[in-house]
Amino acid sequence: MTHYVLVPDDLEPEGLALLRDRPDFEVYAPGKMTREDTLAQVPRAEGLIVRSGTQVDAGLLAHAPALKVVVRAGVGVDNIDLDACTARGIVVMNAPDGNTVSTAELAFGLILALARNIPRADASMRAGRWDRKQFMGMELRGKTLGIIGMGRVGRALAERARPFGMTILGYDPFLPERAARHLGLIPQVNDVYARADIISLHALVVPETQGMINAAAIEKMKPGVLIVNTARGKLINTADLADALRSGRVGGAAIDVYDVEPPPADHPLAGLDNVILMPHLGASTYEAQAAVGIQAAEQVINFLVNGTAENVRNRAVFDQPPA
Ligand SMILES: NC(=O)c1ccc[n+]([C@@H]2O[C@H](COP(=O)([O-])OP(=O)(O)OC[C@H]3O[C@@H](n4cnc5c(N)ncnc54)[C@H](O)[C@@H]3O)[C@@H](O)[C@H]2O)c1
């Protein structure tokens, strides 16, 4: 039996090779496909691998009678209608592990860039100046790094910061107590605010975390604190952060993610000197993209060949009566 897998978004060749090397799989992956082409190909597909560019909605599913599994090569599944998939008995998975180290490395790079004013000093040199006094920096050794969200990326950041002599204060209310004790997490986010010199955000967006970095939270932080966000834009109340950056209450911020992407030209943080802005590059390394593609391909193969499911995003699908 041949399993037909459709890949309507760009996927790194390492992942595609795993599928193409198997005699029991047929793959259609011409690169980024139009909606029209996708609808034309999807009726035969048992497996679908997408990134964020393909909308897996009820309209697409109506053309996909053979579909059993959708894998998002990456983390966010906002482009996939989970309820519609569940109703049709289609398992939805993501492939979250490949991005972890790249995102943690970017967060750490941004911490160093803020602490040593790297982008501003570079811009000043290019403008023909030699401003050594203006860019006095701060050592990371002996400083306290607050990490909000100690999942995959938060822990990978902690591992990288410890050898620099930083004290880590991790906060994550959803880890089991044993894991929390093992990682030395602290139970109150207010303690992170009160003690951290640098705060790096790595939580999921849930009602409790949405807008959590607002004026009230900033008021509890050390004056001059540095804030890094490589998680999701919605964790921060941007207007409150911009006010605090203008007043110097927050010393600097480095931002990779925005509530709307790309952010509008009049975004409150654009134009502030003490801010580093990045165009959502956390996962943008060759290694991460290859790893994500491999994980997505392996999960499709494991599911269609062995029936094993990992990183399932719609667990309710298993409560459905078989189709
Ligand atoms: N910039 C990028 O390109 C990029 C790449 C990968 C991941 N991300 C984002 O980074 C974040 C972390 O990713 P991950 O792979 O480590 O996810 P993860 O699921 O492994 O970790 C997220 C952690 O957040 C914790 N959390 C939930 N509610 C919380 C709360 N109220 N306070 C503190 N922590 C809370 C969870 O318990 C979990 O441990 C996610 O938001 C993800 O979307 C961004």
Side-chain angles (χ1 to χ4, degrees):
M1 179 185 173
T2 304
H3 303 289
Y4 185 71
V5 176
L6 180 65
V7 186
D9 288 320
D10 285 316
L11 197 73
E12 293 302 308
E14 290 85 345
L16 292 176
L18 283 183
L19 292 160
R20 288 190 169 128
D21 286 352
R22 292 188 62 110
D24 51 345
F25 274 75
E26 185 186 338
V27 190
Y28 188 71
K32 178 67 194 141
M33 290 169 66
T34 62
R35 172 86 174 174
E36 214 179 15
D37 288 346
T38 306
L39 293 183
Q41 291 295 330
V42 82
R44 281 182 63 208
E46 274 182 87
L48 189 63
I49 300 179
V50 297
R51 304 192 73 101
S52 57
T54 296
Q55 291 301 317
V56 183
D57 50 23
L60 182 142
L61 297 177
H63 288 73
L67 196 60
K68 295 180 178 152
V69 59
V70 178
V71 180
R72 159 71 161 106
V75 181
V77 288
D78 336 13
N79 54 318
I80 302 171
D81 185 335
L82 296 181
D83 292 339
C85 287
T86 304
R88 287 174 172 263
I90 297 165
V91 174
V92 179
M93 307 173 187
N94 65 354
D97 300 315
N99 287 342
T100 301
V101 168
S102 290
T103 308
E105 286 185 0
L106 179 68
F108 199 67
L110 291 172
I111 290 170
L112 280 166
L114 280 174
R116 301 306 297 271
N117 302 300
I118 294 171
R120 290 165 70 195
D122 174 71
S124 154
M125 284 289 284
R126 286 169 195 277
R129 292 194 292 273
W130 182 253
D131 280 336
R132 298 188 65 230
K133 280 211 175 87
Q134 199 191 330
F135 298 122
M136 187 64 77
M138 142 182 132
E139 273 191 1
L140 298 184
R141 179 179 53 166
K143 298 297 184 302
T144 297
L145 173 61
I147 301 181
I148 296 183
M150 284 289 273
R152 286 175 289 261
V153 180
R155 290 181 213 191
L157 174 63
E159 266 174 42
R160 282 151 183 80
R162 279 195 192 97
F164 273 68
M166 302 192 82
T167 299
I168 309 298
L169 290 184
Y171 171 72
D172 193 318
F174 293 105
L175 289 187
E177 205 179 305
R178 265 186 55 208
R181 242 182 293 134
H182 166 72
L183 291 167
L185 300 195
I186 55 167
Q188 297 296 332
V189 72
N190 284 343
D191 289 337
V192 175
Y193 294 154
R195 290 163 57 194
D197 302 294
I198 300 162
I199 294 177
S200 194
L201 305 180
H202 301 285
L204 302 176
V205 178
V206 288
E208 303 83 59
T209 58
Q210 188 151 351
M212 71 187 289
I213 304 300
N214 56 18
I218 290 169
E219 207 40 56
K220 296 172 187 154
M221 296 177 192
K222 282 188 171 179
V225 63
L226 303 178
I227 296 177
V228 174
N229 187 11
T230 57
R232 282 292 177 262
K234 288 193 165 66
L235 298 175
I236 292 183
N237 179 317
T238 311
D240 288 0
L241 177 62
D243 284 345
L245 283 158
R246 266 190 294 270
S247 72
R249 184 68 182 72
V250 169
I255 306 290
D256 187 43
V257 283
Y258 306 84
D259 40 8
V260 178
E261 294 189 357
D266 62 352
H267 191 270
L269 300 180
L272 294 181
D273 267 357
N274 46 356
V275 175
I276 300 172
L277 299 177
M278 303 285 287
H280 201 147
L281 295 183
S284 295
T285 63
Y286 295 109
E287 292 84 353
Q289 294 312 304
V292 161
I294 288 169
Q295 187 176 22
E298 283 175 347
Q299 288 182 188
V300 166
I301 294 167
N302 288 340
F303 185 76
L304 292 178
V305 175
N306 307 319
T308 45
E310 297 157 74
N311 300 312
V312 175
R313 303 327 303 167
N314 61 336
R315 298 215 73 88
V317 72
F318 298 123
D319 304 333
Q320 298 280 311

